[in-house]
Amino acid sequence: MIPNEVIIDLGAIRHNLSEIKRLAGPEARIAAVVKSDAYGHGMVPVAQTLESAGVDYFGVFEFQEALDLRQAGCKVPILIMMGITADEVSAVVENHLTAALFDRDIAEKLSSTALKRGVTVPVHVKVDTGMTRLGVAWTDVVHFLESLLPLKGIWLEGIFSHLAVADAPDEPFTGEQILRFLQAVEQSRRLGVCQEAIHVANSGALLGKRGLDLGMIRPGILLYGSPPSEGWKAASTFRPAMTFRSKVVQVRRVPAGTSVSYGRTYTTPESAVIATIPVGYDDGYSRKLSNQGEVLLHGSRVPVVGRVCMNLTMLDVSSLQGVAVGDEVVLLGVQGEAQITAEEIAKMTGTISYDVYCSLGKSNRRTYVDS
Ligand SMILES: *Cc1c(COP(=O)(O)O)cnc(C)c1O
């Protein structure tokens, strides 16, 4: 069997939740964002861990994720952040899910379905304050809310918005978006709706202490142990939950002048020891790490040499003694005193830690530990 393994430390996720609570203050309710299979960490085990640690709400992207959580026995409220389609309405009502709402037709359908069943369905109105992605424009919120008032069977539980640049400290547009959101919140307050769940803060806003006094926050990446961007001191107490490891499958000494891998982009300057691992871009290990990445072996960093192939990657292990088939290689995470972070890989591959976690988590067998 391929020795590659993504290991998720559920204890780290619990630790990160308590760090989030410490930063947000004791009053803040937490809507934990577990979309995209909990950023590659596995939605169900992560959600079960968070639920037993007392999380207040879950945020998922789409309906099927919410249904999967319910079917796994999850009891806390679940917000479907992309909203729902007409054909999902009856299952949303039946499974006590919360839809993000920005569409009057969906509102009517939710209302009539809930009335037919004699229940009330919660919704959170989604306000677009400058992300220009999803939601009712902040300038149209009053009008939209007023149009919802006659609809019975819908509980206007909450109102929320999403920030475009909260990961950048001192970015003035975040202040602008929060002002727009507060204006919408005030309008909903005057109409007497949407006051139970008001939320705008993602991980960046939490670290920057923006929008934390509204009663609820909506963090994602910090739960998994990474800051949303570089330069946040307050993020240093968070612990990455994901490790990605493999094992050496071949070790060989080669003479000087030997080319390695496709395209012959690397040639050994002197006699070298090359170790091969069964990891490639198909496993979520980016081809951009060719001749660039480093991995951990015997507790030290060793370089990736030549191109990363679909299923194999070569390492120059000449700096180490006695490397053998079966030795553990850590591509993400800690080995001994050394560590490779998702931020480091993201920087080399021109992306963000979120993307590194999603790719590795989705492409590999996952096992769970609890530190
Ligand atoms: C992904 C997402 C979040 C979480 O963002 P992080 O940067 O991971 O904290 C919050 N709200 C919405 C609407 C999102 O799509």
Side-chain angles (χ1 to χ4, degrees):
M1 187 166 60
I2 288 280
N4 303 347
E5 202 174 20
V6 159
I7 300 148
I8 306 298
D9 179 0
L10 295 172
I13 290 186
R14 213 177 297 110
H15 164 83
N16 295 334
L17 176 65
S18 75
E19 284 302 293
I20 286 170
K21 286 184 170 169
R22 188 176 59 75
L23 289 177
E27 302 300 309
R29 290 194 298 153
I30 316 288
V33 177
V34 293
K35 66 189 180 198
S36 293
D37 215 4
Y39 295 33
H41 292 66
M43 180 179 69
V44 167
V46 166
Q48 286 169 340
T49 301
L50 292 169
E51 183 162 337
S52 58
V55 90
D56 302 281
Y57 231 106
F58 286 117
V60 297
F61 177 61
E62 47 112 13
F63 165 75
Q64 186 59 50
E65 297 172 315
L67 198 59
D68 290 347
L69 278 183
R70 276 285 177 271
Q71 281 166 357
C74 161
K75 297 282 184 294
V76 302
I78 306 168
L79 172 63
I80 301 168
M81 298 191 297
M82 75 159 275
I84 57 169
T85 55
D87 57 314
E88 292 162 350
V89 164
S90 65
V92 164
V93 173
E94 194 174 317
N95 289 281
H96 311 288
L97 303 173
T98 308
L101 186 65
F102 44 86
D103 182 298
R104 162 82 206 193
D105 293 344
I106 294 290
E108 273 179 31
K109 190 126 203 254
L110 278 166
S111 165
S112 61
T113 306
L115 280 179
K116 229 177 278 165
R117 307 214 179 159
V119 297
T120 303
V121 60
V123 296
H124 290 193
V125 170
K126 176 74 197 283
V127 184
D128 194 318
T129 55
M131 179 79 177
T132 318
R133 190 169 78 166
L134 277 182
V136 181
W138 85 98
T139 45
D140 297 338
V141 166
V142 185
H143 178 75
F144 184 66
L145 290 175
E146 281 171 351
S147 80
L148 299 179
L149 292 179
L151 299 177
K152 305 287 176 242
I154 299 188
W155 175 33
L156 299 173
E157 180 190 26
I159 185 164
F160 74 112
S161 189
H162 194 46
L163 300 169
V165 281
D167 58 308
D170 309 321
E171 166 59 66
F173 191 63
T174 298
E176 179 64 33
Q177 278 195 278
I178 290 175
L179 280 179
R180 292 170 179 177
F181 183 57
L182 291 177
Q183 190 183 315
V185 169
E186 173 58 21
Q187 287 161 342
S188 65
R189 196 188 60 76
R190 267 192 248 130
L191 293 171
V193 296
C194 299
Q195 296 302 291
E196 310 301 319
I198 303 171
H199 45 107
V200 71
N202 54 7
S203 297
L206 174 59
L207 293 173
K209 304 203 177 304
R210 317 290 289 270
L212 300 188
D213 50 359
L214 301 171
M216 187 176 268
I217 62 169
R218 216 172 54 239
I221 194 74
L222 279 174
L223 286 168
Y224 310 105
S226 277
S229 58
E230 280 182 293
W232 293 105
K233 275 218 180 65
S236 63
T237 59
F238 287 78
R239 287 214 308 260
M242 185 184 287
T243 297
F244 177 41
R245 68 179 183 197
S246 181
K247 285 181 178 165
V248 171
V249 293
Q250 188 180 22
V251 189
R252 254 184 321 157
R253 179 165 284 284
V254 297
T258 305
S259 68
V260 178
S261 194
Y262 287 123
R264 308 186 70 199
T265 59
Y266 181 82
T267 302
T268 53
E270 49 202 271
S271 164
V273 182
I274 302 294
T276 302
I277 53 175
V279 172
Y281 54 82
D282 181 47
D283 307 297
Y285 195 69
S286 173
R287 190 167 176 273
K288 293 180 183 147
L289 293 160
S290 300
N291 290 310
Q292 232 207 134
E294 292 187 329
V295 305
L296 306 179
L297 183 52
H298 295 186
S300 298
R301 284 174 174 261
V302 294
V304 168
V305 289
R307 291 225 176 113
V308 171
C309 307
M310 192 181 290
N311 305 116
L312 293 162
T313 293
M314 278 60 76
L315 312 169
D316 185 337
V317 300
S318 309
S319 61
L320 304 175
Q321 296 298 315
V323 173
V325 169
D327 286 358
E328 181 197 75
V329 173
V330 170
L331 298 101
L332 171 73
V334 174
Q335 190 188 56
E337 306 277 284
Q339 181 177 21
I340 309 268
T341 63
E343 290 71 48
E344 173 182 342
I345 294 174
K347 207 172 195 173
M348 287 184 191
T349 55
T351 185
I352 52 178
S353 60
Y354 301 61
D355 190 7
V356 173
Y357 289 136
C358 287
S359 305
L360 292 174
K362 161 159 57 196
S363 312
N364 295 283
R365 173 163 42 96
R366 280 188 300 243
T367 55
Y368 291 86
V369 297
D370 197 339
S371 66

